Amino acid sequence: MNTAADMVARYCAELASIAPTLPAAEVPWIQQTRNKARDDFARLGFPTRLQEAWHYTNVGALQRRFFALESTDFSVGQSTIEPLLYPGLDCHRLVFVNGVHAPELSAIGALPKGVELENLATALTRTPEQLEPFLGARGQQTEHAFNALNTALLRDGVCLRLAPNTRLDKPLHLLFLSTGEARENCAQPRNLILAAAGSQAVVLESYHSLDEAACLTNSCSEVILEADAKLQHYKLQEENHQSYHISSLQVQQARDSHFESHLLSLGATLARHELNVDLNGEGARCDLNGLYLGNDRQHVDCHTEIRHMQAGADSRQNYKGILDGRARGVFNGRVYVHPQAQQSNAEQSNHNLLLSANAEADTKPELEIYADDVRCSHGATVGQLDDDMLFYLRSRGLPEDTARGLLILGFARNLLEQMPLKTISARLEQKLIDILSQSHGLKSLI
Amino acid sequence: MLEISNLHVSIGDQTILKGIDLTVKPGEVHAIMGPNGSGKSTLSHVLAGREGYEVIEGSVRYEGKDLLGLSPEARAHAGIFLGFQYPVEIPGVNNMYFLKAAINARRKANGLKELDAFDFIQMAKKKAGLVGLDESLLQRAVNEGFSGGEKKRNEIFQMAVLEPQLAILDETDSGLDIDALRIVAEGVNALRDPERAVILVTHYQRLLDYIVPDYVHVLSDGRIVRSGGRELALTLEEKGYGWLKEAAAT
Ligand SMILES: Nc1ncnc2c1ncn2[C@@H]1O[C@H](COP(=O)(O)OP(=O)(O)OP(=O)(O)O)[C@@H](O)[C@H]1O
Ligand SMILES: [Mg+2]
């Protein structure tokens, strides 16, 4: 096993060998979809830095290290997940261990009429024909190696379907747990959210490691928002510092729909968050907020692409990086405005705080605008803590490390404040504080 | 309380303070006046411990000990407070939260019990009322979006909460309306007692109607060129700084 091609072949061989055991393996379109994706992955291989989209992020390590796809029995107890839950957050819960649904840990509860919530494996078995339009030929980016790898497995994840004008009564908390035990595993959740006209939901995805084993998460989510539908989406990524986290979220938005995304990326040695939004109807709007922290040698890459396909849609992006140690943060934000997408509004900002001389931030806005009546703005900064602010705080008696911690938290604050669900934002803020108190003196004060 | 002797300070290769001598005793109020650029803020910053200044000669002793080796926070813990000429805006850092952290850091450094949230809020609200600071400002980020006058009131509010031994107020009166000026003055006067001292940097004799100083000093080109009583401020108001230079020349 020493060349990239060997490693790709090894994944393909394992995929072929477990194919008959996968959910709905006998359904022809599903079989074809998996086979085609496996061929795509075999053809594409892992991306290299020669590819524009991966210029700043080197996934070479994945060519040398195999993460097993075959599922084994994991015994994860309720007490293990307890600390990962949000006290005070009344929610529906689905738990996945290494990408496979764990019914004994999940708690879906009663659902409003018109809302279907189940794990994908169940949905694939129960109503495969209904999913074909979304997971079949149309539902994939065939030139994306990680999406291909995910589709080649197409095993499990969440499937949420909202009938017109329904509302998921409580937030949905999706827990994705990685555990290694004796080997290094690959989790490939595949999530599908179909929100019909006028429907609404709040979804929180959280990614955690249960031990110190290195794992690869390659998650793929698709969201379809029909006219007037609303989705509030939160994502917390706090896997251990040995793990790799690759994710892509594709959003299709119809007229007057609203997609709101809040990302907090804390963990993994390498984390890549792709978020692609197509604004396909007038009045569609997306708000994307992201906060990423890096320390040691962590690498975190936020890659967004927003396509304004019709007139009168709005997009707002606000990403912030806090980078310490030898960490590297990347923000690559592409905004495309189609010639007929007049009166588009696109704002993008990326601010980075470097806390050490060896940390690095790369920010790359890409604006491709083909309509003339549009308002587009973008701003990017890379800076350090402000000396005047530090002095001000210290002159009032705050120790230097506390002053630094407060300023770092202050830098992140507006992103936390934009989260409508305070039970979530308070918890995420506490996570930030916990991390900052390891290197800064916040603990004694809070 | 404070003894500045022969203090020379430079920034880069430019010497800004060129031999300052000033002694402040407990209970005293000293006003420092002087033309723009003469070094008043530089002196204030050096006393509070800001980085970026080089002391090339002289010394500063505070309560009998060397001050210049202390960090800004250690000076704050020892009771020094600087009211900034240009208070900085700090987005995302809540005013109350910050001030509670500040007061407790000081209490801790002095071996006192930290204030709990309830006691702190009670006290802060009382002080805010005293200095006429709108309570809604307490819940905002430090100085963010505050008007010029609100920022200055916030400085006085912080001073009132922290109850310093030595307050150095750098043009706290600039940008205040008449009512605010009176309130600021009341804030300072409320703090006056035989144990505390105040250094007031100001351009306006008007403030000195409200806070009557024991001494007035004129700083010009990095030196104290004249010291006197309160009447010196009146003379300056009338004649400007020109006559001092002429007097110095003859
Ligand atoms: N960071 C700096 N770098 C270079 N020169 C500086 C710096 N800070 C202050 N100076 C210079 O030092 C001198 C004294 O400035 P300072 O701010 O102390 O004056 P001031 O007496 O407070 O004036 P004002 O009445 O306008 O507030 C000025 O000539 C100023 O330009
Ligand atoms: Mg000044």
Side-chain angles (χ1 to χ4, degrees):
Chain A
M1 276 310 144
N2 44 21
T3 72
D6 289 341
M7 185 55 81
V8 169
R10 186 167 170 194
Y11 276 103
C12 290
E14 172 149 308
L15 283 165
S17 93
I18 62 176
T21 68
L22 294 172
E26 67 296 345
V27 179
W29 75 262
I30 295 179
Q31 209 174 71
Q32 282 156 23
T33 300
R34 286 183 179 135
N35 290 344
K36 177 174 179 305
R38 194 172 70 221
D39 292 345
D40 286 336
F41 178 66
R43 173 173 55 82
L44 294 164
F46 287 107
T48 69
R49 294 188 52 204
L50 297 176
Q51 282 155 267
E52 172 104 37
W54 294 87
H55 179 65
Y56 293 103
T57 296
N58 184 355
V59 292
L62 298 179
Q63 298 174 349
R64 296 185 292 275
R65 212 159 154 181
F66 184 73
F67 294 89
L69 293 164
E70 198 180 354
S71 60
T72 54
D73 287 334
F74 305 102
S75 54
V76 175
Q78 181 72 27
S79 60
T80 309
I81 67 164
E82 215 57 58
L84 307 175
L85 306 180
Y86 289 65
L89 185 70
D90 186 16
C91 60
H92 302 286
R93 180 172 80 232
L94 264 86
V95 181
F96 299 86
V97 179
N98 290 348
V100 178
H101 182 225
E104 68 287 0
L105 299 174
S106 301
I108 294 185
L111 293 166
K113 199 161 169 289
V115 174
E116 289 177 86
L117 172 60
E118 60 202 327
N119 65 311
L120 186 72
T122 302
L124 283 173
T125 317
R126 200 171 64 85
T127 56
E129 67 294 341
Q130 290 177 19
L131 299 183
E132 182 171 4
F134 309 104
L135 298 173
R138 209 196 75 178
Q140 324 161 32
Q141 277 190 320
T142 52
E143 292 311 302
H144 191 298
F146 287 103
N147 282 9
L149 182 58
N150 183 292
T151 305
L153 186 72
L154 197 59
R155 181 162 54 195
D156 215 344
V158 71
C159 181
L160 170 63
R161 285 176 278 185
L162 300 153
N165 301 313
T166 56
R167 189 171 149 267
L168 183 60
D169 54 340
K170 300 184 243 177
L172 166 60
H173 185 185
L174 302 171
L175 282 114
F176 298 100
L177 313 177
S178 290
T179 170
E181 295 178 6
R183 61 174 200 182
E184 299 189 337
N185 288 306
C186 176
Q188 296 211 87
R190 177 61 167 247
N191 305 312
L192 187 59
I193 297 174
L194 304 174
S199 63
Q200 294 185 27
V202 177
V203 175
L204 163 65
E205 291 181 30
S206 61
Y207 293 83
H208 314 268
S209 303
L210 296 183
D211 48 42
E212 287 305 307
C215 289
L216 167 62
T217 294
N218 175 29
S219 116
C220 225
S221 304
E222 282 161 83
V223 171
I224 296 181
L225 301 182
E226 291 182 3
D228 274 317
K230 290 189 175 55
L231 177 67
Q232 213 181 94
H233 185 267
Y234 299 83
K235 177 178 174 184
L236 166 68
Q237 188 279 116
E238 54 169 3
E239 289 159 309
N240 68 33
H241 285 209
Q242 289 71 256
S243 289
Y244 295 82
H245 180 96
I246 310 278
S247 80
S248 89
L249 172 57
Q250 319 276 340
V251 185
Q252 297 290 329
Q253 288 190 245
R255 177 180 60 75
D256 294 322
S257 62
H258 186 197
F259 174 68
E260 185 179 330
S261 154
H262 303 275
L263 164 71
L264 178 62
S265 183
L266 304 174
T269 182
L270 184 155
R272 162 96 162 189
H273 306 277
E274 282 181 28
L275 181 40
N276 301 336
V277 181
D278 284 0
L279 299 168
N280 296 322
E282 203 171 323
R285 174 179 168 160
C286 69
D287 290 280
L288 315 184
N289 297 312
L291 179 63
Y292 44 98
L293 266 70
N295 205 340
D296 304 326
R297 289 185 171 272
Q298 282 181 291
H299 181 105
V300 48
D301 176 356
C302 294
H303 202 96
T304 66
E305 175 168 349
I306 296 175
R307 299 200 299 166
H308 286 255
M309 303 305 289
Q310 292 290 336
D314 283 4
S315 66
R316 277 199 332 100
Q317 300 182 71
N318 190 0
Y319 280 79
K320 288 188 170 184
I322 300 174
L323 302 159
D324 204 348
R326 308 183 72 84
R328 186 169 183 197
V330 178
F331 174 75
N332 190 144
R334 182 163 180 266
V335 175
Y336 167 88
V337 180
H338 189 277
Q340 71 192 33
Q342 300 294 355
Q343 282 105 44
S344 290
N345 230 320
E347 286 174 32
Q348 181 188 88
S349 77
N350 173 233
H351 300 293
N352 293 282
L353 193 53
L354 299 185
L355 299 176
S356 96
N358 295 318
E360 183 180 331
D362 296 294
T363 171
K364 187 176 172 210
E366 289 179 66
L367 304 182
E368 261 186 71
I369 296 162
Y370 298 104
D372 43 30
D373 181 16
V374 296
R375 291 225 323 260
C376 286
S377 67
H378 71 95
T381 58
V382 177
Q384 284 139 25
L385 288 177
D386 184 287
D387 284 339
D388 289 338
M389 295 184 193
L390 260 180
F391 175 62
Y392 189 90
L393 297 180
R394 293 177 70 190
S395 79
R396 299 296 184 248
L398 294 187
E400 185 176 5
D401 55 354
T402 308
R404 288 171 64 87
L406 269 188
L407 290 179
I408 297 166
L409 208 54
F411 175 79
R413 172 90 52 203
N414 72 333
L415 290 179
L416 294 165
E417 280 174 353
Q418 279 175 38
M419 298 179 181
L421 270 191
K422 295 304 156 207
T423 35
I424 295 181
S425 65
R427 178 69 177 274
L428 298 184
E429 178 176 5
Q430 191 55 49
K431 292 205 175 289
L432 274 184
I433 291 169
D434 291 346
I435 288 182
L436 294 175
S437 34
Q438 288 163 21
S439 45
H440 302 86
L442 280 178
K443 196 162 251 163
S444 60
L445 295 162
I446 292 165
Chain B
M1 170 173 264
L2 184 73
E3 276 168 80
I4 305 175
S5 39
N6 194 30
L7 184 67
H8 288 67
V9 170
S10 66
I11 305 172
D13 51 12
Q14 202 186 339
T15 303
I16 312 288
L17 301 183
K18 302 172 180 168
I20 305 265
D21 291 290
L22 179 67
T23 299
V24 178
K25 298 204 179 75
E28 292 178 349
V29 173
H30 290 244
I32 297 182
M33 305 182 80
N36 294 131
S38 57
K40 304 180 297 294
S41 292
T42 303
L43 176 62
S44 309
H45 288 151
V46 169
L47 294 177
R50 189 189 200 119
E51 283 166 22
Y53 299 92
E54 198 191 344
V55 175
I56 44 184
E57 215 183 316
S59 68
V60 180
R61 299 187 75 76
Y62 174 72
E63 291 180 336
K65 291 185 215 104
D66 172 48
L67 182 71
L68 298 175
L70 298 181
S71 66
E73 54 270 33
R75 298 181 199 205
H77 300 159
I80 292 181
F81 176 91
L82 170 62
F84 286 76
Q85 182 175 4
Y86 304 109
V88 62
E89 300 195 10
I90 311 183
V93 176
N94 176 278
N95 224 354
M96 286 290 265
Y97 181 87
F98 145 63
L99 204 51
K100 177 165 170 274
I103 193 165
N104 279 335
R106 181 170 166 202
R107 291 179 70 94
K108 203 170 150 194
N110 291 310
L112 296 170
K113 195 168 148 286
E114 296 182 25
L115 290 183
D116 65 24
F118 182 79
D119 290 343
F120 171 73
I121 288 167
Q122 294 301 106
M123 186 267 282
K125 285 192 169 167
K126 201 175 115 216
K127 302 276 167 134
L130 229 55
V131 303
L133 185 79
D134 193 311
E135 272 189 33
S136 69
L137 296 182
L138 299 179
Q139 290 310 333
R140 299 216 329 232
V142 179
N143 295 323
E144 193 186 30
F146 286 25
S147 75
E150 286 168 346
K151 285 180 186 165
K152 295 302 179 72
R153 277 188 206 222
N154 196 24
E155 295 293 288
I156 292 302
F157 164 65
Q158 293 179 30
M159 181 190 78
V161 167
L162 294 171
E163 298 183 330
Q165 298 304 115
L166 172 64
I168 304 156
L169 302 177
D170 190 0
E171 295 198 30
T172 302
D173 54 332
S174 300
L176 289 181
D177 60 43
I178 303 282
D179 290 343
L181 187 70
R182 216 188 54 241
I183 290 167
V184 162
E186 282 168 10
V188 175
N189 287 329
L191 206 70
R192 275 182 99 156
D193 78 30
E195 301 303 315
R196 300 179 208 274
V198 181
I199 297 176
L200 283 178
V201 174
T202 181
H203 284 293
Y204 305 105
Q205 121 76 20
R206 200 180 51 184
L207 178 68
L208 306 180
D209 286 341
Y210 295 105
I211 310 173
V212 180
D214 300 298
Y215 300 94
V216 175
H217 309 277
V218 179
L219 190 62
S220 178
D221 193 22
R223 290 184 186 89
I224 291 179
V225 294
R226 177 75 60 119
S227 295
R230 180 174 176 218
E231 63 296 339
L232 178 56
L234 294 165
T235 316
L236 292 170
E237 177 101 330
E238 195 185 318
K239 296 194 186 170
Y241 295 113
W243 66 277
L244 278 174
K245 287 182 189 148
E246 283 157 30
T250 55

